[in-house]
Amino acid sequence: MATNRSGAAQRPNGAPQTKVCQFKLVLLGESAVGKSSLVLRFVKGQFHEYQESTIGAAFLTQTVCLDDITVKFEIWDTAGQERYHSLAPMYYRGAQAAIVVYDITNQDTFGRAKNWVKELQRQASPSIVIALAGNKSDLAAKRMVEFEEAQAYADENGLLFMETSAKTAMNVNDIFLAIANKLPKSESGGGGGGGGAGAGARRLNDGDAPRASSCCK
Amino acid sequence: MNEEALLARASEERERIFQRYERGRENLAGQIDPWEDPEFEEYHKTDRYGFIHDERLPQKTAPQKVNIEVEREKKWVKMLGSWDSTATKEKLHRRIYKGIPNSLRIKVWCKLLDVNRMKSENPGKYQEMLKLAKHWSTDVRQIDSDVNRQFREHQFYRERYSEKQCSLFNVLCAYSMYNSEVGYCQGMSGLAGVLLMYMDEEDAFWALAILLSDKKYVMHGLYVEGFPKLTRFLEHHDKILTKFMPKLKHHFDKFGLDAILYSLKWFFVCFVERVPFSLCLRVWDIYLLDGERVITAMAYTILKLHKKAIMKLNDMDLIVNYIQVKLHKDFGYEDDVVIYHLERSMDELKRAKLDYPGPPPPNELPKRSLGTFIEPDKKSKIGQRAENFSETEKQTRATVILRREKAALELQELRVSQSDTVSEHSGVAGSGARCDDSVSGLGSRRSLAETSVTSTADLSVFSSSRSHAPDNSLDTHSNVSDDATGSDGSGICALSIQRAPSTTHSTPRATPHPPSISPLSDDVVRIHVTYNPLAASPSHLHPVSPSKYKAYSEDHHKPMSLGFYTSNGANNLPSDNRIRIQVPSEELLTPVVDSGRIITQRYIESHSELYDLK
């Protein structure tokens, strides 16, 4: 992964084989729904029953290959506790994609997920791709949120939707792949742009981290 | 559901959770979800602090170390017997910096925090708070879910509803009532978790209370809504970086890496799970003695010790992983060495008047009196979240975003000013006193002139920064510049000379492990020099005056694609047929490369910075 990453874009001789797109993706959702576990499963293929709680935020990257294009996700995994909510805008600003996670065994977390979606629709980039993940699908016996209910909600709001299990790996790669497929990859500027009111600041950010420019090199 | 039903449901949930902790593991046989109680079959080693590892532990503590600890214990026992004497006060500082013997930690920590005083001044308070929590705490669900994942690799916390898990739950619930402004904030389970490894429940409660509200530590401001102390300390941390390690700060800024990401746990939980536990305890020893200055200084020390390795990492992912994961697994320096540097950092910061960001403003201190019951409002009882940010939160959000923008702006200005004045080799952040080389005594720092074997010279070519003047733009891989010390725009080569294997690192105090840096593809040009004992002497390296180094030339072997400056690319070029090599004055690791693989990384120090190879 590490070599891949710097490889394609930086080789002095020989153009990269495929186009590489970078996207900023943020995970949001109530505490203990499995945000970090989804990321861990996606990035490292691992699962920890006792995944430590995320304090503040964590940052990881993973690359997925589509047919003719390589998509590198820069993943911001956020803390779920409400106290940390005030830091979240810092992470979803300028994000091109978001996964809003709830726990299918807990109705409250689904309600909370809806609030996150609302907040993203209001505050984040208008073109942000939002996916809804009903996690812990391995605990279907304790299900409190019906699949159909969540699917209907996702349809209404134009969200990607899957039930996932970080524990069994079900649908984990799939949801990231679905996002990768849905992200615009042609025009420079990509889906990101400015987060909410921060359009001007976004421009600075682009200068600040040239890698963060959202589209293909 | 209507409000009544929601309230009823919330209180039912609270009681249900409480009950399980009250019954404890023994009485819950068959009632614990398997997923909550992971099996640990593969674990077969427990370290001296109680952490269980999934691989065999490295060698046992060396016998001489055990002896030292036994000797120290004797001294400490004596000292504990006369804690308030002047003799103790004189010795305390020195002895604590050497490390409190683990067997006596509990006693010493309680003394340092003055736990007994708090406890005796508040008889029955802890039980009262715990009882209140059972009926009122709105943080029970969050605490429950965090207890379920705090230190699960430690023998005390490994089993669900074990005695210590129950204590952890109780302490946090009771505290959420005791300090209603903070309640429970994620992070506190780490603090209480460590305290409970050494203390009983009530002592740990008071120790936590002291850490949050005593003026020496005032962690209250870290956990309270809006995290005012965090933003203030991060600002101060940035100030220290700007002054002492501007290049590192620049490196972070370049990747948009804010300190809030990599250092949050340093401040919130005093390095728990960010440095190895043995080192963490040593820092806690000192933190309990000297207070919040220690955190600031330790943050500085970590970056100072690892600056070279971090500067080599050209991806935010790699940097964050290094600081958060790698350093937790293996800090790369012995604890004693780190503490030695920590103490030096504290002096250094004090001299620069940067050891302390100042006393806490009112918003970082408890406003309500502690231990007084205040009934939570309906919304928090139900567990409903606020629709909108409070004023404090809005301010926090603005502050953190502003931090990023300010950093980005500075970076941009810096780039502009650099492309104006290419010649200003070292003026990175433009702040007056730069002490970027303060980590002397670390690593092997041999002068180039002492190098004995020069049969293979590798040139690691660092291209110039992205902000170059257009005439340098034949540089085709400008990303590589992230590596360069001289990302200030003066296209620099670093010369590394392969040395005889006998010349390994050796320094009296420091024992760094070989840095394990992933070999990012620094573009490297390899120059073979036919070995000739006579010519191998460094006498053919002629230092040139720094005033000339801005020019950079070679004619014959023009590796165009490698980002060298070409002769028509700069003015005032001496156009004779030579390669000019500049060795950066920074103590960066320089890769030695064989067949494209980095075989080792070395520190190279030059007395003069430029050499001309004819």
Side-chain angles (χ1 to χ4, degrees):
Chain A
M1 195 177 65
T3 39
N4 234 352
R5 172 183 13 253
S6 39
Q10 293 182 5
R11 279 278 149 258
N13 30 15
Q17 297 291 310
T18 51
K19 288 194 284 184
V20 179
C21 295
Q22 296 189 52
F23 293 104
K24 179 176 172 184
L25 180 150
V26 64
L27 278 103
L28 302 165
E30 182 58 87
S31 174
V33 295
K35 296 178 293 298
S36 305
S37 294
L38 281 175
V39 177
L40 188 71
R41 173 61 80 186
F42 175 57
V43 172
K44 295 189 177 154
Q46 297 170 350
F47 178 73
H48 296 162
E49 296 275 4
Y50 49 95
Q51 176 68 34
E52 65 178 75
S53 56
T54 307
I55 299 179
F59 177 82
L60 292 136
T61 61
Q62 177 62 300
T63 307
V64 294
C65 294
L66 306 181
D67 293 340
D68 55 341
I69 213 166
T70 303
V71 169
K72 180 181 165 190
F73 282 115
E74 298 181 323
I75 304 165
W76 290 87
D77 174 23
T78 63
Q81 198 193 5
E82 184 174 15
R83 189 73 50 88
Y84 290 89
H85 187 173
S86 57
L87 300 182
M90 173 175 165
Y91 302 115
Y92 65 65
R93 266 171 110 242
Q96 287 100 348
I99 303 181
V100 177
V101 189
Y102 69 93
D103 170 359
I104 65 158
T105 70
N106 185 330
Q107 183 73 38
D108 290 355
T109 64
F110 184 54
R112 182 70 200 130
K114 289 181 182 171
N115 286 342
W116 276 117
V117 171
K118 234 184 278 171
E119 179 167 342
L120 286 172
Q121 287 167 340
R122 235 183 9 232
Q123 305 282 345
S125 152
S127 53
I128 189 167
V129 174
I130 305 173
L132 181 69
N135 195 34
K136 307 196 186 176
S137 65
D138 53 292
L139 299 176
K142 295 185 170 184
R143 174 187 291 281
M144 299 296 286
V145 183
E146 292 307 322
F147 181 89
E148 293 73 22
E149 184 190 357
Q151 182 70 64
Y153 170 76
D155 291 346
E156 253 166 60
N157 287 274
L159 318 174
L160 287 165
F161 170 64
M162 285 186 199
E163 283 195 348
T164 57
S165 167
K167 184 169 178 170
T168 66
M170 188 186 97
N171 277 347
V172 175
N173 286 350
D174 309 68
I175 197 163
F176 281 91
L177 270 174
I179 292 167
N181 276 315
K182 201 175 170 186
L183 283 163
K185 294 164 209 76
S186 46
E187 83 277 29
S188 71
R202 176 65 190 172
R203 192 179 50 75
L204 290 179
N205 281 342
D206 284 344
D208 161 47
R211 311 166 312 124
S213 74
S214 59
C215 216
C216 310
K217 299 182 175 169
Chain B
M1 270 193 265
N2 64 20
E3 209 169 63
E4 288 304 307
L6 284 169
L7 278 172
R9 195 186 59 154
S11 80
E12 215 173 277
E13 182 193 25
R14 187 182 60 245
E15 275 164 35
R16 196 175 56 242
I17 293 172
F18 247 96
Q19 263 176 20
R20 290 174 77 80
Y21 285 96
E22 279 170 356
R23 291 172 67 188
R25 184 173 180 81
E26 266 131 63
N27 300 312
L28 283 169
Q31 296 176 49
I32 301 172
D33 266 335
W35 70 269
E36 281 193 306
D37 217 5
E39 293 187 7
F40 286 84
E41 287 155 330
E42 71 258 50
Y43 295 111
H44 51 259
K45 283 288 170 186
T46 307
D47 67 19
R48 64 188 300 226
Y49 305 107
F51 283 94
I52 304 157
H53 298 261
D54 59 0
E55 52 202 37
R56 285 186 190 284
L57 293 171
Q59 278 182 312
K60 289 204 174 137
T61 320
Q64 64 268 32
K65 280 208 168 171
V66 176
N67 289 340
I68 290 173
E69 183 129 344
V70 172
E71 286 306 307
R72 280 195 189 149
E73 270 169 28
K74 287 183 201 154
K75 291 182 191 169
W76 274 92
V77 169
K78 211 167 137 195
M79 206 160 70
L80 278 166
S82 56
W83 187 256
D84 294 318
S85 70
T86 39
T88 300
K89 283 190 179 108
E90 279 165 16
K91 287 176 197 153
L92 199 60
H93 173 91
R94 191 166 45 85
R95 290 206 173 148
I96 283 183
Y97 276 73
K98 283 183 177 173
I100 302 169
N102 201 42
S103 57
L104 297 171
R105 236 177 208 121
I106 169 177
K107 287 191 178 139
V108 181
W109 280 12
C110 284
K111 292 263 189 201
L112 289 171
L113 289 165
D114 214 355
V115 168
N116 281 332
R117 187 181 55 81
M118 275 295 263
K119 205 161 75 168
S120 58
E121 282 173 7
N122 296 280
K125 197 75 181 174
Y126 173 65
Q127 292 307 331
E128 184 194 333
M129 291 297 125
L130 190 56
K131 215 179 278 174
L132 282 170
K134 199 177 159 187
H135 292 106
W136 300 104
S137 176
T138 55
D139 293 303
V140 171
R141 183 199 287 175
Q142 184 70 59
I143 292 169
D144 177 45
S145 101
D146 286 350
V147 167
N148 194 15
R149 48 192 172 159
Q150 185 67 53
F151 295 130
R152 289 305 292 274
E153 72 282 24
H154 190 280
Q155 55 184 5
F156 286 170
Y157 300 104
R158 161 187 167 181
E159 292 177 332
R160 191 69 176 121
Y161 303 109
S162 64
E163 197 187 323
K164 281 290 180 182
Q165 270 204 8
C166 294
S167 293
L168 181 57
F169 177 81
N170 290 344
V171 166
L172 295 171
C173 286
Y175 193 81
S176 75
M177 296 314 292
Y178 180 77
N179 182 346
S180 56
E181 284 168 83
V182 163
Y184 170 72
C185 176
Q186 288 191 311
M188 287 163 66
S189 60
L191 284 189
V194 171
L195 294 170
L196 279 165
M197 286 178 200
Y198 290 92
M199 299 174 187
D200 69 22
E201 204 175 295
E202 189 171 351
D203 282 356
F205 172 82
W206 288 114
L208 183 68
I210 290 161
L211 285 177
L212 265 86
S213 50
D214 188 282
K215 65 178 192 308
K216 202 156 152 189
Y217 317 103
V218 265
M219 297 180 93
H220 177 94
L222 289 173
Y223 293 116
V224 80
E225 180 190 82
F227 317 114
K229 184 172 175 179
L230 178 71
T231 38
R232 189 165 66 95
F233 270 64
L234 285 180
E235 219 165 273
H236 187 74
H237 174 73
D238 278 353
K239 219 183 275 176
I240 292 171
L241 284 198
T242 307
K243 171 142 178 146
F244 290 101
M245 296 186 283
K247 287 184 180 170
L248 188 70
K249 172 80 167 60
H250 178 235
H251 190 66
F252 287 154
D253 288 345
K254 198 162 54 182
F255 297 106
L257 174 54
D258 193 291
I260 201 171
L261 181 64
Y262 67 78
S263 70
L264 193 95
K265 270 195 161 183
W266 295 355
F267 294 99
F268 265 50
V269 286
C270 190
F271 307 95
V272 169
E273 288 164 331
R274 284 294 176 262
V275 299
F277 196 68
S278 63
L279 175 59
C280 182
L281 289 172
R282 296 283 301 271
V283 177
W284 274 57
D285 293 346
I286 297 166
Y287 175 55
L288 299 189
L289 176 74
D290 282 340
E292 51 194 1
R293 282 175 173 81
V294 177
I295 309 282
T296 299
M298 184 62 187
Y300 170 49
T301 308
I302 291 178
L303 294 179
K304 193 163 81 166
L305 291 174
H306 292 278
K307 184 183 72 174
K308 295 171 198 111
I310 295 168
M311 289 291 288
K312 286 278 170 196
L313 303 172
N314 291 311
D315 195 316
M316 182 151 89
D317 191 13
L318 296 175
I319 299 173
V320 171
N321 187 63
Y322 185 93
I323 296 177
Q324 297 193 343
V325 181
K326 191 261 166 196
L327 293 185
H328 179 211
K329 281 191 191 137
D330 175 7
F331 196 79
Y333 295 90
E334 302 255 350
D335 295 350
D336 287 334
V337 175
V338 182
I339 298 303
Y340 164 79
H341 282 284
L342 170 63
E343 203 174 355
R344 278 182 48 172
S345 298
M346 290 180 73
D347 292 341
E348 198 182 339
L349 293 175
K350 198 169 181 182
R351 279 197 304 275
K353 296 197 170 62
L354 280 171
D355 58 326
Y356 184 50
N363 65 341
E364 291 179 19
L365 298 169
K367 290 188 192 68
R368 299 179 202 153
S369 77
L370 298 166
T372 319
F373 173 64
I374 292 168
E375 189 176 332
D377 59 24
K378 264 191 189 148
K379 270 193 171 176
S380 40
K381 275 188 201 166
I382 296 171
Q384 218 169 29
R385 294 193 175 214
E387 288 285 305
N388 296 305
F389 286 131
S390 69
E391 284 310 310
T392 323
E393 287 177 317
K394 280 183 195 157
Q395 212 174 352
T396 311
R397 191 179 58 166
T399 313
V400 289
I401 290 173
L402 203 69
R403 277 168 54 80
R404 291 293 344 118
E405 285 173 5
K406 202 172 140 223
L409 199 67
E410 279 167 6
L411 193 74
Q412 212 179 39
E413 278 170 4
L414 185 65
R415 284 191 173 140
V416 171
S417 74
Q418 277 170 357
S419 53
D420 287 349
T421 56
V422 182
S423 63
E424 206 185 319
H425 172 49
S426 58
V428 167
S431 73
R434 289 184 57 247
C435 319
D436 234 344
D437 287 323
S438 50
V439 203
S440 57
L442 283 178
S444 161
R445 304 172 63 218
R446 284 160 191 277
S447 96
L448 193 61
E450 287 167 11
T451 308
S452 53
V453 180
T454 52
S455 57
T456 310
D458 286 317
L459 284 179
S460 309
V461 178
F462 302 119
S463 84
S464 43
S465 147
R466 284 179 198 89
S467 55
H468 273 162
D471 56 348
N472 301 324
S473 59
L474 57 65
D475 168 0
T476 56
H477 58 300
S478 54
N479 285 356
V480 186
S481 72
D482 306 343
D483 235 351
T485 45
S487 45
D488 49 347
S490 46
I492 286 168
C493 276
L495 169 69
S496 86
I497 306 218
Q498 200 174 335
R499 253 184 241 127
S502 61
T503 60
T504 47
H505 295 118
S506 65
T507 37
R509 288 200 69 107
T511 50
H513 303 179
S516 55
I517 299 153
S518 60
L520 278 178
S521 61
D522 297 330
D523 294 60
V524 169
V525 65
R526 186 165 179 193
I527 298 183
H528 293 277
V529 184
T530 314
Y531 181 69
N532 173 343
L534 295 172
S537 79
S539 60
H540 62 292
L541 300 175
H542 305 291
V544 292
S545 82
S547 64
K548 284 201 267 167
Y549 73 73
K550 136 184 176 184
Y552 201 93
S553 129
E554 48 74 36
D555 264 345
H556 254 69
H557 319 81
K558 200 186 285 175
M560 297 279 281
S561 65
L562 285 164
F564 274 62
Y565 279 45
T566 51
S567 52
N568 56 357
N571 306 318
N572 313 322
L573 278 179
S575 55
D576 51 347
N577 177 16
R578 64 181 178 184
I579 301 174
R580 176 163 296 181
I581 296 164
Q582 179 169 8
V583 180
S585 58
E586 285 294 303
E587 303 172 298
L588 276 180
L589 279 167
T590 304
V592 179
V593 179
D594 187 18
S595 311
R597 276 197 355 259
I598 296 181
I599 49 178
T600 180
Q601 313 226 18
R602 295 185 187 286
Y603 298 116
I604 291 191
E605 185 194 56
S606 58
H607 288 152
S608 36
E609 295 191 333
L610 285 159
Y611 302 90
D612 282 357
L613 290 169
K614 292 231 181 183

